[in-house]
Amino acid sequence: MSSEIVRLEPPAISLLLDEASKTPALIRNALTVRGFTVLDAELRLTRPGHAIPMPANSAVVLVNVTDWGEEPSEAIRRLNSIRAARVSNSRLLCFSTARHSSRFVLKLMERGLRYARVSDASMLVEAVELILAEEAHESNRTPTFRISHRFS
């Protein structure tokens, strides 16, 4: 009887890429090379009630905000409502290949969105991996109780 060690690989994590047509191919390639499955979506263009196919192992929705104006409030409101209705189990990461003002970034952060300014593809990969690490850390945090008995 032979014993064989079997190593199970976790399934690839899917990333939903909004504004995929405006995202440089280098970014998609870097994510794919790191083992992520990248799915295209145009979240802001979907009709209400239209379901976006979202695999169970999708963890992050990437939103390219490069061409957003300096007043993103309306876009953020729409994006958050679409996210709540269609991809509520995923984290949202806004990224830009262009510089935005600190006011713009603060508006994103005030509404609970993560933001990363990426000058190359590796920076976006790093931001995605950080979000996944935070999620793993949060899921491993469980309440701990300590019971002490004192007898005199």
Side-chain angles (χ1 to χ4, degrees), residues 78-136:
R78 261 193 100 222
L79 187 61
N80 273 334
S81 66
I82 290 167
R83 177 180 166 244
R86 299 190 183 107
V87 288
S88 61
N89 61 332
S90 298
R91 301 253 178 143
L92 206 66
L93 173 62
C94 298
F95 71 95
S96 178
T97 57
R99 186 183 184 290
H100 284 284
S101 69
S102 54
R103 183 174 166 262
F104 176 91
V105 176
L106 284 173
K107 283 193 181 263
L108 294 175
M109 293 172 66
E110 285 171 352
R111 287 164 179 84
L113 304 175
R114 297 290 296 270
Y115 175 80
R117 160 75 168 87
V118 296
S119 59
D120 62 31
S122 65
M123 293 176 78
L124 183 60
V125 171
E126 187 176 312
V128 168
E129 289 175 341
L130 177 61
I131 285 180
L132 294 172
E134 287 174 348
E135 189 172 279

